Amino acid sequence: LNSTNTQLGANASIPAKPAQTRDTSPLRLGNRGTVTEASGFNPEEDAQKIYNAMKGAGTNEATIIEILAHRTIAQRQKIKEAFKQSVGKELLDCLKSELTGNFEMIVVGLMMPAPVYDAYELKNAIKGAGTEEACLIDILASRSKAEIKEIIATYKKEHGKSLEDDVCGDTSGMFQRVLVIKGNCSDKMLLLFLIQQDIYEAGEAHWGTDEVKFLTVLCVRNRNHLLRVFQEYQKISGRDIEDSIKREMSGCLEDAFLAIVKCMKNKPAFFAERLYKSMKGLGTTDSVLIRIMVARAEIDMLDIKAEFLKMYGKTLHSFIKGDTSGDYRKILLELCGGEK
């Protein structure tokens, strides 16, 4: 490693463990991700290859892509452990010292367990002068209640502060009265609690009984119940629930409610739309593109790709290829998992 050669020695090597340490467990059933468990996995071998790719002058990014984009989160954690044990340094720190830009952001995200990555993204979204509401919505509208509880605990552990306090220290009035944050809250209630203070300031004077009822129904019912509610709502009103949200709300509040509804209806389609919007037109919203590709690669990327093709008539692979470049493009395409 460029930054550690003097301590490690240019000829340092990672001793291999006996063959019985190989992970030959079968793939998990029901995996709809493009990233699956690598067969014949040996974390010591992978750690050695990554170390060799970073030591000396320059970095072999192709090796890093080949390994990290084709290992599951669990397998990457074992690579981290093997690297730490043999090299004596944190793999994540070494990768940060060697890589830059969007490529670094993806690799860093891949090395984190899912709740750690979500907490990391949320922290980045709310620190500093402004708040990236899109990140709060993307994560908290799409994660399950159990996942959000784990994110909250992880955020506290990693950052020493509560997620609620970091985002909502200044909220008050009806916004807080409606959204009670306790351990038994629904994930969608947490999402709304975490939306920026400007929603409360913009909305409090205009919210009435109907809005409170709408919040209550949308935030506390389970998915199956809500899907039936959406169907009945359309029969009664003659209008889709999404159209009503667009008519009655605006700004981040509208975005939050739309995200909740879309995730309830079809989560892969929600992410397909977010990916499309991150790349269409001039420029790329890299933070959104990276966050979704990293977070969903092992979960439902196959379904997201299928929805993307159905919705836009083009493959996600072609969109990424046309909108990115260099090692950033290469690792994104690997996570995308092929042209079809």
Side-chain angles (χ1 to χ4, degrees):
L1 304 179
N2 291 343
S3 59
T4 56
N5 278 345
T6 55
Q7 290 83 8
L8 300 178
N11 296 319
S13 63
I14 298 177
K17 288 186 176 181
Q20 61 263 31
T21 62
R22 291 181 182 269
D23 181 355
T24 58
S25 57
L27 300 180
R28 289 174 297 174
L29 297 176
N31 186 351
R32 296 296 299 160
T34 50
V35 175
T36 57
E37 290 181 355
S39 61
F41 173 60
N42 187 313
E44 290 75 30
E45 288 182 3
D46 283 348
Q48 179 68 60
K49 289 178 181 178
I50 293 174
Y51 170 76
N52 290 340
M54 293 189 291
K55 74 177 182 180
T59 303
N60 186 341
E61 287 87 356
T63 297
I64 293 173
I65 294 171
E66 177 61 30
I67 294 174
L68 297 184
H70 297 92
R71 304 293 185 271
T72 62
I73 295 172
Q75 289 177 330
R76 294 183 204 120
Q77 304 317 300
K78 293 180 181 179
I79 295 172
K80 284 169 61 176
E81 293 169 4
F83 193 95
K84 173 69 172 179
Q85 182 175 356
S86 300
V87 177
K89 291 188 175 291
E90 296 293 341
L91 175 54
L92 191 57
D93 293 338
C94 294
L95 289 167
K96 287 179 179 179
S97 72
E98 294 290 322
L99 309 177
T100 59
N102 291 326
F103 181 61
E104 176 191 352
M105 291 175 63
I106 293 181
V107 171
V108 167
L110 290 174
M111 295 309 300
M112 297 180 185
V116 175
Y117 181 61
D118 283 343
Y120 170 82
E121 285 290 287
L122 290 168
K123 181 65 174 179
N124 287 338
I126 61 180
K127 73 180 181 181
T131 299
E132 187 193 351
E133 288 86 357
C135 177
L136 304 181
I137 294 169
D138 281 354
I139 292 176
L140 297 173
S142 62
R143 303 316 190 247
S144 68
K145 179 178 178 179
E147 287 170 335
I148 288 182
K149 284 186 176 181
E150 191 170 8
I151 291 169
I152 292 172
T154 302
Y155 191 97
K156 178 72 172 180
K157 179 180 178 181
E158 293 288 323
H159 304 295
K161 301 173 76 174
S162 79
L163 182 55
E164 298 95 321
D165 288 346
D166 263 2
V167 180
C168 298
D170 295 327
T171 56
S172 60
M174 188 171 70
F175 192 52
Q176 282 191 341
R177 292 198 299 272
V178 172
L179 306 172
V180 179
I181 305 305
K182 298 293 182 184
N184 61 350
C185 71
S186 79
D187 49 350
K188 306 310 179 294
M189 289 180 74
L190 178 59
L191 164 69
L192 295 170
F193 183 81
L194 291 174
I195 299 301
Q196 186 71 324
Q197 166 72 2
D198 63 334
I199 291 177
Y200 166 72
E201 293 175 345
E204 182 183 24
H206 306 288
W207 288 0
T209 303
D210 291 342
E211 286 81 359
V212 174
K213 288 180 179 177
F214 183 80
L215 284 166
T216 303
V217 170
L218 191 56
C219 295
V220 303
R221 307 303 185 193
N222 63 43
R223 180 175 182 270
N224 290 335
H225 177 87
L226 277 176
L227 291 178
R228 292 195 299 271
V229 169
F230 297 159
Q231 292 173 353
E232 291 301 316
Y233 181 90
Q234 185 156 7
K235 290 179 183 178
I236 296 170
S237 68
R239 184 178 292 118
D240 185 85
I241 186 69
E242 292 181 36
D243 293 334
S244 290
I245 291 171
K246 293 174 184 177
R247 287 165 58 93
E248 300 296 330
M249 301 179 186
S250 62
C252 294
L253 185 61
E254 175 187 342
D255 293 339
F257 278 128
L258 284 176
I260 292 170
V261 171
K262 288 176 181 180
C263 284
M264 286 286 180
K265 289 181 176 180
N266 187 333
K267 193 177 294 184
F270 167 75
F271 284 119
E273 180 184 13
R274 296 290 292 131
L275 287 169
Y276 175 77
K277 289 182 176 179
S278 76
M279 292 182 283
K280 75 170 185 176
L282 296 176
T284 304
T285 310
D286 295 296
S287 60
V288 174
L289 176 58
I290 291 169
R291 180 167 58 246
I292 295 175
M293 295 302 294
V294 169
R296 310 310 295 188
E298 196 175 328
I299 300 173
D300 54 2
M301 187 56 66
L302 292 174
D303 297 326
I304 292 171
K305 289 171 62 179
E307 292 293 338
F308 193 99
L309 180 60
K310 182 167 64 175
M311 294 164 69
Y312 304 110
K314 295 183 178 180
T315 65
L316 176 59
H317 188 280
S318 68
F319 250 69
I320 293 172
K321 188 174 182 179
D323 215 63
T324 57
S325 61
D327 294 314
Y328 178 41
R329 172 201 282 167
K330 291 176 183 177
I331 196 166
L332 283 173
L333 292 179
E334 292 300 313
L335 295 176
C336 184
E339 294 194 24
K340 295 183 178 180

